[in-house]
């Protein structure tokens, strides 16, 4: 850790103390505990950030609620990757306003990706002026400071910065699951795909030092974590920019060697940077989960070029088939976008062709969403909505057919499952996750949660299994 980062951590720990005092005084006055709620939108990165925000709130003395209904402090950790994420937030804020009208002391905060986008920030300030605190992705670590100012009575705290070199370690974290955890290995993205707002709102790529990552994972393991997911927008370029830093495959090996860690996942890999060394590392290490998420976006070489993805249809297909050949029990999943400007029927056919060749185990399909400030947004050849809808349906149908066929390949096998939770719709059942990321429901006691048990996959029901524990 850099000296400046250590001092930033100490400052923020001081602000948590200050917030605790203010909360104690408030509780003495009101005779009840102050409550808070964190609502998360978007990706695993945001989910991990929310654990940090929740950790800070609890350390300061808030009681955390699942629901926003009664909370004294509501924090929305936002996403802006597609416009529907923005619309979802505005819907939530509408509800927050009606609660705040009844309960004027209620505090509302918005953080994360959305306020990093200048026009969205303006809209928040203008149309949602009841929001008391707004901060972005680069200064998330300074939340304790903003919180203490809010608790001291300050309002309209707008703190957005457009970049940071800091990676502040060691602030409190409240994990959602005691037995598994995400671990950031890098922040930001340098790829600038022409449709994507992420590099604009999350900034340039910054890797954490491997020593800090491994220390965090050792501590997680000591506290009972068995599965870690290494998080980054493009994990294959881990370490770039830090002199003498180890490569991503080497980091994976070292994480697997941490005592007590039984499973390692990672997300996301950019196909252009996926090395043979990584494939061989996965192949030769059973602790690395049999799941690779390899975003395709489009199967058309022309569209890929315009997206600045830096691979062709043929390069992608060759890579995916090579991975399937080397690691036959791996599940391959992907992201696909439909309706990128200029996309023709023949481009969509190329995408369908790749889906049928790679036979994804699962895929997220998205309709292209215009993001302000990205090169694709100003193109004049935006695809008409009706055509996009038709293409989307074709792609989705193809994805589903392949996924159904693929998921059948595990039927009858007995595989280890990490038991994650009690199944709330089937009494007496628990739900586990396989190494390949598929879900299995089976009869079992809640005491199994957090353990890895062998489960026979009796019946495939589309995207999940019904199974039974074997002894
Ligand atoms: N419109 C639609 N989907 C997008 N994604 C990123 N930007 C956009 C956009 N402007 C999708 C990509 C990416 C996933 C996280 O979100 O498929 O892989
Ligand atoms: Fe966005 Fe491309 Fe970076 Fe992924 S790799 S976050 S799609 S710019």
């Amino acid at each position: 850790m850099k000296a400046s980062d250590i001092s930033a951590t100490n400052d923020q720990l001081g602000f948590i103390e200050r917030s605790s005092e203010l909360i104690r005084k408030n509780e003495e006055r009101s005779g009840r505990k102050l409550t808070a709620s964190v609502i998360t939108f978007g990706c695993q990165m945001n989910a991990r950030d929310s654990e940090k925000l929740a950790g800070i709130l609890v350390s300061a003395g808030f009681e955390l609620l699942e629901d926003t209904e009664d909370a004294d402090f509501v924090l929305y950790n936002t996403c802006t990757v597609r416009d529907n994420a923005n619309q979802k937030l505005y819907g939530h804020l509408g509800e927050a306003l009606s609660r705040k009208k009844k309960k004027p002391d209620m505090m509302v905060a918005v953080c994360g990706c959305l306020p990093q986008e200048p026009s969205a920030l303006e809209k928040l300030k203008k149309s949602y002026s009841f929001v008391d605190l707004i901060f972005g992705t680069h200064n998330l670590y300074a939340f304790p400071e903003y919180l203490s100012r809010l608790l001291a009575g300050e309002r309209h705290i707008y703190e957005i910065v457009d970049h940071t070199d800091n990676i502040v370690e060691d602030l409190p974290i409240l994990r959602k699951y005691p037995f598994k955890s995400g671990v950031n290995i890098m922040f930001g993205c340098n790829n600038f795909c022409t449709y994507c707002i992420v590099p604009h709102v999350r900034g340039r790529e910054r890797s954490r030092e491997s020593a800090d990552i491994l220390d965090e994972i050792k501590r997680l393991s000591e506290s009972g974590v068995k599965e870690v997911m290494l998080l980054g927008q493009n994990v294959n370029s881990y370490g770039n920019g830090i002199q003498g830093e180890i490569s991503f495959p080497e980091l994976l090996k070292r994480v697997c060697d941490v005592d007590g860690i039984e499973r390692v996942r990672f997300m996301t890999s950019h196909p252009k940077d996926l090395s043979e060394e990584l494939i061989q590392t996965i192949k030769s290490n059973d602790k690395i989960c049999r799941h690779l998420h390899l975003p395709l976006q489009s199967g058309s070489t022309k569209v890929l070029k315009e997206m600045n993805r830096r691979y062709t249809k043929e390069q992608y297909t060759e890579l995916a088939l090579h991975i399937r050949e080397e690691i036959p029990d791996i599940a391959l999943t992907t992201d696909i976008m439909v309706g990128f400007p200029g996309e023709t029927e023949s481009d969509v056919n190329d995408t369908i062709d790749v889906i049928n060749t790679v036979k994804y185990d699962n895929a997220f399909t998205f309709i292209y969403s215009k993001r302000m400030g990205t090169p694709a947004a100003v193109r004049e050849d935006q695809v008409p909505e009706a055509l996009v809808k038709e293409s989307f349906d074709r792609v989705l149908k193809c994805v589903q057919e392949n996924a159904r066929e693929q998921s059948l390949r595990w039927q009858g096998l007995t595989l280890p499952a990490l038991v994650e939770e009690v199944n709330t719709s089937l009494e007496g059942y628990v739900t586990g996750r396989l190494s390949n990321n598929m879900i299995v429901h089976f009869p079992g006691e809640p005491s199994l949660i957090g353990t890895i048990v062998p489960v026979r996959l009796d019946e495939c029901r589309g995207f999940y299994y019904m199974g039974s524990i074997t002894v």
Side-chain angles (χ1 to χ4, degrees):
M1 248 197 284
K2 289 194 304 220
S4 61
D5 293 348
I6 295 173
S7 117
T9 302
N10 289 336
D11 289 350
Q12 294 306 322
L13 291 173
F15 286 117
I16 294 180
E17 265 306 299
R18 171 110 187 85
S19 299
S20 300
E21 279 164 34
L22 293 165
I23 289 178
R24 253 196 317 271
K25 282 190 190 140
N26 186 303
E27 284 174 1
E28 276 165 23
R29 265 199 316 276
S30 66
R32 62 175 190 88
K33 269 195 98 57
L34 274 185
T35 55
S37 169
V38 182
I39 311 297
T40 311
F41 303 89
C43 63
Q44 270 108 348
M45 289 273 192
N46 267 18
R48 181 65 176 155
D49 285 347
S50 285
E51 293 186 341
K52 297 178 185 173
L53 298 161
I56 291 165
L57 287 167
V58 169
S59 301
F62 277 102
E63 182 187 330
L64 214 60
L65 303 178
E66 283 283 312
D67 217 317
T68 54
E69 285 293 304
D70 300 313
D72 299 298
F73 177 68
V74 184
L75 173 57
Y76 297 98
N77 186 12
T78 63
C79 167
T80 187
V81 74
R82 286 170 290 275
D83 188 54
N84 53 9
N86 294 43
Q87 297 313 321
K88 240 199 238 165
L89 173 75
Y90 300 137
H92 277 258
L93 286 179
E95 289 167 27
L97 176 60
S98 52
R99 283 200 301 278
K100 195 164 170 151
K101 279 185 181 152
K102 288 184 221 140
K103 189 173 161 184
D105 287 346
M106 177 184 164
M107 294 168 279
V108 180
V110 172
C111 70
C113 291
L114 184 137
Q116 289 293 152
E117 206 272 292
S119 64
L121 176 63
E122 274 321 297
K123 178 168 174 161
L124 279 178
K125 286 190 197 168
K126 228 167 104 188
S127 310
Y128 299 88
S129 59
F130 66 91
V131 175
D132 304 299
L133 162 64
I134 304 176
F135 59 105
T137 50
H138 299 303
N139 49 356
L140 194 119
Y141 69 88
F143 175 50
E145 177 195 334
Y146 309 142
L147 183 63
S148 66
R149 284 164 53 191
L150 193 63
L151 289 165
E154 198 179 329
R155 292 295 178 263
H156 291 141
I157 307 170
Y158 303 143
E159 295 279 358
I160 310 292
V161 292
D162 60 11
H163 91 287
T164 184
D165 295 325
N166 283 356
I167 296 181
V168 179
E169 306 276 351
D170 295 340
L171 290 175
I173 299 183
L174 187 76
R175 290 200 318 272
K176 187 168 172 202
Y177 297 98
F179 51 85
K180 68 170 189 177
S181 179
V183 174
N184 297 107
I185 64 165
M186 56 203 298
F187 303 93
C189 180
N190 282 353
N191 288 316
F192 289 95
C193 300
T194 55
Y195 51 80
C196 188
I197 200 159
V198 170
H200 306 268
V201 296
R202 287 252 173 201
R204 294 303 79 71
E205 208 170 272
R206 283 154 288 135
S207 294
R208 284 177 72 195
E209 288 176 21
S210 54
D212 290 336
I213 297 170
L214 290 164
D215 272 354
E216 180 180 343
I217 294 175
K218 277 180 203 138
R219 287 200 303 271
L220 286 170
S221 165
E222 282 158 16
S223 74
V225 165
K226 293 193 172 136
E227 179 180 305
V228 288
M229 182 183 271
L230 308 183
L231 298 171
Q233 303 293 351
N234 181 14
V235 291
N236 298 314
S237 59
Y238 171 76
N240 288 357
I242 306 186
Q243 215 179 0
E245 190 48 279
I246 57 176
S247 67
F248 180 60
E250 182 57 32
L251 178 68
L252 268 178
K253 285 184 210 154
R254 295 196 193 174
V255 173
C256 290
D257 287 342
V258 173
D259 262 355
I261 295 297
E262 294 182 38
R263 279 182 169 185
V264 183
R265 301 184 182 275
F266 57 90
M267 185 84 100
T268 294
S269 284
H270 195 304
K272 78 175 165 59
D273 297 318
L274 195 138
S275 65
E276 184 62 28
E277 188 192 353
L278 177 63
I279 298 170
Q280 295 310 321
T281 303
I282 303 173
K283 183 177 176 176
S284 60
N285 202 321
D286 282 345
K287 286 191 182 178
I288 304 177
C289 287
R290 273 22 199 169
H291 173 216
L292 187 67
H293 188 69
L294 199 60
L296 167 69
Q297 312 302 359
S298 166
S300 152
T301 297
K302 178 203 96 189
V303 173
L304 287 168
K305 189 159 193 318
E306 291 172 6
M307 286 178 164
N308 191 30
R309 292 291 291 176
R310 285 171 275 178
Y311 51 82
T312 62
K313 174 186 182 188
E314 289 70 27
Q315 283 167 334
Y316 182 99
T317 314
E318 200 180 307
L319 174 68
L321 293 182
H322 175 61
I323 295 167
R324 284 236 186 264
E325 201 177 298
E326 288 291 308
I327 318 168
D329 60 343
I330 205 161
L332 281 179
T333 62
T334 198
D335 291 339
I336 295 168
M337 196 184 305
V338 179
F340 183 81
E343 186 181 64
T344 63
E345 197 181 330
S346 137
D347 295 322
V348 178
N349 288 343
D350 277 337
T351 300
I352 289 180
D353 195 29
V354 176
I355 300 168
N356 284 327
T357 309
V358 176
K359 298 186 179 306
Y360 293 105
D361 294 78
N362 209 344
F364 296 104
T365 40
F366 304 110
I367 287 181
Y368 165 73
S369 169
K370 231 174 162 176
R371 306 318 284 138
M372 201 96 89
T374 63
V378 290
R379 282 180 56 160
E380 280 171 7
D381 49 354
Q382 304 288 326
V383 185
E385 211 173 297
L387 191 57
V388 176
K389 180 80 184 65
E390 196 189 305
S391 305
F392 182 82
D393 290 346
R394 278 206 298 142
V395 168
L396 188 64
K397 185 162 169 271
C398 179
V399 160
Q400 286 174 343
E401 282 166 5
N402 278 284
R404 208 163 292 131
E405 190 186 317
Q406 283 297 83
S407 56
L408 269 173
R409 61 189 173 125
W410 323 100
Q411 189 155 286
L413 297 180
T414 296
L415 294 175
L418 172 60
V419 186
E420 294 192 339
E421 54 206 3
V422 168
N423 188 315
T424 47
S425 17
L426 277 174
E427 207 181 323
Y429 277 66
V430 289
T431 299
R433 190 176 295 273
L434 305 174
S435 166
N436 66 18
N437 212 32
M438 280 192 84
I439 292 292
V440 57
H441 306 293
F442 56 98
E445 294 296 319
S447 60
L448 290 174
I449 290 173
T451 63
I452 295 178
V453 294
V455 179
R456 195 178 54 237
L457 306 175
D458 297 320
E459 188 196 346
C460 179
R461 293 204 185 152
F463 302 107
Y464 64 91
Y465 273 98
M466 299 308 292
S468 42
I469 199 162
T470 61
V471 267

